[in-house]
Amino acid sequence: MSEQDVLAAVVRLLPAIRERAAEAEARCSVPEATIKELTETGFFRLLQPRLHGGLGADPVMFLDCVRQLGRACGSTGWVAGVLGVNAWQLALFAPKAQEDVWGLDRDARICVSLAPVGQVTQLADGYRLSGRWSFSSGSDHADWAMLGAIVRDGQGKPLEMRTFLLPGSDYRVDRVWDTVGLRGTGSNDLIVEDVFVPAHRTLGASQLADWNRPGHAVNPEPVYRLPLGSLFTSSISAPIVGMAEAAYEAYLAAMRTRIRVSGGGPVAEDPFAQVRAGRAASEIDAAWLQLSRNVADLHDWARRGEQPPMRLRTRLRRDQVLATERAVTAVDLLMENAGGSAMRTGDNVLQRAWRDVHTGRGHITNDPEKALVLFGREAFGLDVSDPML
């Protein structure tokens, strides 16, 4: 199966996924039928290494699939992006850790919560880990989890942030997710109570940031040379762009037949509505074009075996957060002109997209000020140091 085959299969699923969007919201979780169908398309293997039955695919192809899924159901696009990119992150771990997961099940899925909130005790051959981690999207559908925590010395001084890989038997999902937007993501809490994590199932922040990672010993595909902060953050913005596309299509469909009560004429003939449609469409196009261009440029550097320049990495983060901002702006432009009917409860595509993009905007990777400062510092020749690059 090729990358193009996967994209075509994902597109064929979109009508059915769109039909289940309301179910995802009601359940606060993507329906199992959707996860099963996405598994059968090969989507979750796009960023999985070839050694373990994956495609080691072009990251833009992966992001395009995520964007398309976001058009059908924002929550499904979000969960697909997170679970899909976590396969890429596992490919950076030591080969033995990869074998622990994919040696047993090549379709195993991994959820994540990287905020360093856990308590760690370092041992000779590994670590003991405890804590509660929040916002683990798609955790209902995961077999393993990656969790962040800071390793400290005997006096409590922080030494290093590490990512810990745990099987499902080592943690419990606390289903606390009940929100206004992205309701179907099932971004629940994970609870760990004093479990042992062998050393090979951990990865330090310095290893993640390094040009040579442990997983490169067995995974030579260029995609695994991309910085974590570039690919993970882009996988958050891509479904949000898809949500905005869905909102735009729903707005046009509704306004073609709507008669404005105050003026008595068709909204489609209102030049102010036409201007809003034009501005929204341009914002959405700019969001996707820049997002995909930057990831493609980054992948080109990786294909050549060269480290990407900091200018490109900060440009990617700049445009990634602005892609989210543009998507939100576009949906707001449309929602403001959609009338009271758009605010009615029920299976309303425009309203759901409005709620979803604003909820997605709150993700830590979508902080525009922080990303723009990084770009500005690099542009002025100042030092730039950030784990999300």
Side-chain angles (χ1 to χ4, degrees), residues 53 97 113 115 128 249 305 308:
S113 183
R128 297 209 71 86
E249 293 164 2

Side-chain angles (χ1 to χ4, degrees), residues 113 115 117-119 130-134 147 172-176 188-192:
S113 183
V117 296
Q119 294 80 52
S130 296
R132 174 187 284 264
W133 287 260
S134 298
L147 305 174
R172 174 168 58 87
V173 178
D174 190 6
R175 291 174 173 79
V176 297
N188 290 302
D189 290 5
L190 304 183
I191 299 173
V192 176

Side-chain angles (χ1 to χ4, degrees), residues 233-244:
T233 58
S234 297
S235 71
I236 293 296
S237 290
I240 295 176
V241 175
M243 298 169 209

Side-chain angles (χ1 to χ4, degrees), residues 22-141:
E23 179 187 351
E25 286 207 317
R27 289 164 45 93
C28 289
S29 180
V30 174
E32 287 289 346
T34 295
I35 298 297
K36 180 177 182 294
E37 289 170 353
L38 285 174
T39 301
E40 291 169 351
T41 67
F43 168 80
F44 292 115
R45 293 197 183 191
L46 279 173
L47 296 185
Q48 194 164 315
R50 292 168 189 158
L51 176 66
H52 294 289
L55 294 173
D58 184 323
V60 176
M61 184 67 70
F62 168 75
L63 294 174
D64 196 14
C65 285
V66 173
R67 177 178 68 100
Q68 297 285 352
L69 290 167
R71 293 176 63 189
C73 169
S75 291
T76 299
W78 185 278
V79 168
V82 171
L83 294 181
V85 83
N86 290 342
W88 173 87
Q89 188 170 346
L90 176 57
L92 310 182
F93 274 69
K96 191 173 188 307
Q98 298 176 50
E99 185 64 28
D100 286 349
V101 177
W102 289 316
L104 295 174
D105 181 4
R106 287 189 165 184
D107 287 322
R109 291 179 293 272
I110 309 152
C111 60
V112 67
S113 183
L114 295 181
V117 296
Q119 294 80 52
V120 186
T121 301
Q122 188 167 8
L123 307 173
D125 55 348
Y127 304 83
R128 297 209 71 86
L129 184 68
S130 296
R132 174 187 284 264
W133 287 260
S134 298
F135 309 118
S136 186
S137 300
S139 49
D140 285 344
H141 308 292

Side-chain angles (χ1 to χ4, degrees), residues 82-339:
V82 171
L83 294 181
V85 83
N86 290 342
W88 173 87
Q89 188 170 346
L90 176 57
L92 310 182
F93 274 69
K96 191 173 188 307
Q98 298 176 50
E99 185 64 28
D100 286 349
V101 177
W102 289 316
L104 295 174
D105 181 4
R106 287 189 165 184
D107 287 322
R109 291 179 293 272
I110 309 152
C111 60
V112 67
S113 183
L114 295 181
V117 296
Q119 294 80 52
V120 186
T121 301
Q122 188 167 8
L123 307 173
D125 55 348
Y127 304 83
R128 297 209 71 86
L129 184 68
S130 296
R132 174 187 284 264
W133 287 260
S134 298
F135 309 118
S136 186
S137 300
S139 49
D140 285 344
H141 308 292
D143 308 289
W144 292 72
M146 292 179 187
L147 305 174
I150 294 177
V151 179
R152 302 177 185 274
D153 64 15
Q155 287 71 48
K157 180 182 177 180
L159 297 175
E160 184 180 29
M161 178 175 169
R162 299 191 75 83
T163 300
F164 297 81
L165 175 66
L166 282 70
S169 57
D170 281 355
Y171 63 86
R172 174 168 58 87
V173 178
D174 190 6
R175 291 174 173 79
V176 297
W177 187 249
D178 186 6
T179 54
V180 172
L182 292 177
R183 286 180 55 80
T185 61
S187 302
N188 290 302
D189 290 5
L190 304 183
I191 299 173
V192 176
E193 297 176 346
D194 192 31
V195 302
F196 174 72
V197 184
H200 73 272
R201 286 191 199 155
T202 75
L203 193 63
S206 60
Q207 293 173 296
L208 269 175
D210 193 65
W211 177 242
N212 294 302
R213 293 136 166 181
H216 292 167
V218 292
N219 299 324
E221 297 93 330
V223 67
Y224 304 114
R225 293 285 182 179
L226 270 60
L228 171 67
S230 299
L231 189 55
F232 182 78
T233 58
S234 297
S235 71
I236 293 296
S237 290
I240 295 176
V241 175
M243 298 169 209
E245 291 178 333
Y248 179 74
E249 293 164 2
Y251 172 82
L252 292 183
M255 295 307 108
R256 286 189 184 106
T257 58
R258 180 181 168 220
I259 303 298
R260 196 180 298 282
V261 176
S262 58
V267 172
E269 296 180 7
D270 180 355
F272 299 106
Q274 294 162 1
V275 167
R276 283 179 180 265
R279 288 187 180 279
S282 182
E283 294 285 4
I284 295 167
D285 282 351
W288 175 245
L289 288 171
Q290 287 188 299
L291 192 69
S292 57
R293 177 200 67 168
N294 290 335
V295 174
D297 287 352
L298 201 68
H299 196 219
D300 284 343
W301 280 85
R303 282 193 183 104
R304 296 194 298 269
E306 301 178 52
Q307 294 192 50
M310 188 57 69
R311 174 63 58 92
L312 173 57
R313 294 164 72 169
T314 57
R315 188 186 82 190
L316 185 146
R317 284 286 284 130
R318 177 199 72 187
D319 294 339
Q320 173 261 313
V321 297
L322 291 180
T324 294
E325 188 173 280
R326 288 187 173 105
V328 173
T329 296
V331 177
D332 282 348
L333 279 168
L334 302 174
M335 196 67 174
E336 291 166 1
N337 190 243

